[in-house]
Amino acid sequence: MIHDRVIKPLYPLCVLAVLLWTACTHADYSRRMVEADRVMDLYPDSALRLLQDISPSNLDEGDRMRHRLLTVEAECRNGQMPASDSLLWPVIDYFHRAGDVFWEARGEYNRGCILYQNHRQAGQALDIFQRVKALMEQCGNTWWLGRTYGRMAYIYHSQGMFFQADSLYKETEQLAVQVGDTALWLETLDRRSIHLIAMGEEHYREAETQLLKACQLAQRKLFLKNKIRCMLTLSQLYSYMEDGRRALWFAREAWLQEPDTTRKYMSGLLTGEAYYQLNRYDSAMVWLEKTIACRPSLAVCSAAYMRLADIAEEQGNAEKALAYQKKYQQAEAELTEQSQVTEIRLTEQSQVHQQEQAQMKLLILICLAALAALAVCIVLLLGWRARERKRLRGQMDTLMKYWWQEHRVLLSAEPSAAEPE
């Protein structure tokens, strides 16, 4: 009895402790997601680690969908691009049904990035970014609107639509200055410089001016990744200008300052290209081999093998030139095959998604038809009951009328109390 008296008061305290722990845990997870979102732009690796420490099973549906979206975005920014955009379909659908315009737009934004960066689906990606643009304008988010303009401009540039790209790059730069987004401004300066380089030699000096300005700004703001990207573009620009020495200097600086050894392939490729322009073939071969050792993308491997084949041919080594040429052709064939497989996979996924949407629409139509039939039955039942009430009321009125008439007859037939017998 004494034991029971001691234990029973502890039950409410235990329950309260569990509830407080759950609330604190949920608040901690929410705080981590907010922090991951805050550092996503400048430190995507830190954002990904924060998100990986959160267990989705401990979140409610809304937070779980935000966690999935932020995780996909962090993986994309860390170079871990998903194979397809199918992971984001339920996320976008959830926020659309919930009426959360901003998160729906952000899901669509990441979906557009995946479709273009991973699968080069330019037309579909542009359609998605147009929708993102409309949604961001609807919710009034200027920061993400600037990002969307930048993505669209990049795709237009890659498709050779230079007029549209230049116009959007200028709008992106204005929005970046308006909201004080230095990272977006630096990214826009770099991409617009690439756009100017593609437009021809007469735009090289303008591109050089913008890149040097961006490089100095990134140095002042300590934006290392933006600085490295600008130096790589400068190296590429000086290669086109046949200024091998400056091309080599910027490529080597980018190589030295890149902290991630697995991402040094681009600076290695440009260093090898600069040595090639300076006719230092042995050094060029060393750097190009380093590039391949970094296990870069097939496109970078293809460029490295092509230049190695050129160097071997210049040195008169036909056997080595033929070997590199075969590797170059193999890389190109894999690129073509990869794009075809990706296109088939995306088509199949799109068909599955369309079938699911069609089944959902059919189910909705069946439910609406059932509801309509039920409504008609209810209306008919109410009508029948009203008619029955009216009929019964009519019968009651008729009976009352007959009763009243008979009652009057009986009353008139009875002798009056005032008359004598």
Side-chain angles (χ1 to χ4, degrees), residues 85-86 89 111 124 343-357:
D85 61 331
S86 57
W89 291 348
R111 183 170 165 246
Q124 193 174 354
E343 188 174 349
I344 292 169
R345 188 184 305 152
L346 285 174
T347 303
E348 289 174 349
Q349 290 172 349
S350 179
Q351 288 173 351
V352 170
H353 184 59
Q354 288 173 3
Q355 288 174 358
E356 290 175 351
Q357 292 291 325

Side-chain angles (χ1 to χ4, degrees), residues 40 44 47-48 51-52 64-92 103 106-115 117:
M40 182 78 72
L48 184 58
L51 292 164
Q52 287 172 340
R64 190 162 60 250
M65 290 299 175
R66 287 185 184 86
H67 178 265
R68 184 185 297 183
L69 172 55
L70 289 172
T71 302
V72 170
E73 185 173 325
E75 288 173 348
C76 290
R77 289 174 182 250
N78 282 280
Q80 303 171 22
M81 197 69 66
S84 77
D85 61 331
S86 57
L87 279 173
L88 293 174
W89 291 348
V91 177
I92 295 167
W103 285 99
R106 191 160 172 179
E108 291 280 18
Y109 177 91
N110 283 280
R111 183 170 165 246
C113 291
I114 292 169
L115 286 176
Q117 289 178 224

